[in-house]
Amino acid sequence: VQLVESGGGLVQAGGSLRLSCIASGFTFNDYARGWFRQAPGKEREAVGCINSGDGSTYYTDSVKGRFTISSDRAKNTVYLQMNSLKPEDTGVYYCADACTAIAGDYWGQGTQVTVSS
């Protein structure tokens, strides 16, 4: 079982990035799929989540209206589209098979997102 994130990078404030999380070894769509981030010196926080079944999505308040989670069943992949990025969005972004960090069994290695002002 493996999750691999990609798509991070350095972007100016106001820019966009799309992160990908490719799963192998299990059917990702059968689980909730969450995105999390961790800024230097801070705890890991949940960014958003897409549920299995109805595909409903949830976002933390600070990213609502700017970030969108989607998934591609055929590619066993979940995406995080990030628009109107702010410096406070900087951090390492992780995907997991849950909507909360405590419930996650499988995690990716993370991808760095840096937003410059």
Side-chain angles (χ1 to χ4, degrees):
V1 173
Q2 191 175 23
L3 296 175
V4 178
E5 302 98 337
S6 63
L10 173 63
V11 63
Q12 288 187 332
S16 298
L17 286 173
R18 188 176 81 152
L19 307 184
S20 300
C21 174
I22 301 174
S24 59
F26 71 113
T27 302
F28 209 7
N29 263 51
D30 288 346
Y31 296 79
R33 289 136 287 160
W35 283 98
F36 302 80
R37 67 186 179 189
Q38 188 165 19
K42 294 187 177 181
E43 294 186 354
R44 189 171 300 187
E45 66 169 341
V47 173
C49 180
I50 181 167
N51 283 320
S52 61
D54 65 0
S56 55
T57 54
Y58 301 89
Y59 302 93
T60 193
D61 286 346
S62 62
V63 309
K64 283 180 181 177
R66 301 187 297 121
F67 289 12
T68 303
I69 296 174
S70 61
S71 67
D72 186 327
R73 173 182 284 274
K75 296 182 178 180
N76 216 22
T77 299
V78 64
Y79 303 97
L80 179 65
Q81 177 67 45
M82 306 186 294
N83 299 328
S84 302
L85 282 161
K86 304 176 181 180
E88 52 263 44
D89 294 320
T90 294
V92 179
Y93 283 69
Y94 301 88
C95 61
D97 63 329
C99 290
T100 60
I102 196 171
D105 290 325
Y106 306 120
W107 292 84
Q109 82 291 348
T111 185
Q112 175 71 45
V113 172
T114 304
V115 184
S116 63
S117 57

